[in-house]
């Protein structure tokens, strides 16, 4: 049975279209994966900043408590 040139041509066209779409999907997946990696890094940086801010707030609160404790029982200056 001889090959059908039209069927062969259509099969080749479908194969090309399939490969083009697969390449496009691969590129888009790579972009999304790259973006997700960047977001993860940013979230990690934000976590570090929040942790540092929490520590700073804790230190400031401790200083405020210490100062207030020192003031308790002191008489205001009578002028």
């Amino acid at each position: 049975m001889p090959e059908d040139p039209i069927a062969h041509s259509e099969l080749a066209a479908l194969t090309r279209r399939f490969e083009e779409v697969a390449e496009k999907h691969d590129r888009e997946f790579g972009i999304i994966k790259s973006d997700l990696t960047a977001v993860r890094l940013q979230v990690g940086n934000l976590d570090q900043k929040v942790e540092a801010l929490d520590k700073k707030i804790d230190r400031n609160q401790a200083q405020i408590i210490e100062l207030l404790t020192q003031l308790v029982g002191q008489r205001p200056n009578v002028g």
Side-chain angles (χ1 to χ4, degrees), residues 24-44:
K24 180 180 177 186
H25 286 161
D26 288 345
R27 282 191 306 272
E28 290 174 352
F29 179 74
I31 291 168
I32 291 169
K33 188 176 175 183
S34 175
D35 289 347
L36 182 58
T37 300
V39 168
R40 285 181 178 160
L41 289 173
Q42 289 175 350
V43 167

Side-chain angles (χ1 to χ4, degrees), residues 60-77:
N60 288 343
Q61 286 177 341
Q63 288 175 341
I64 290 169
I65 291 171
E66 183 180 332
L67 291 171
L68 289 173
T69 302
Q70 291 173 5
L71 290 175
V72 171
Q74 289 186 359
R75 291 184 161 194
N77 292 337

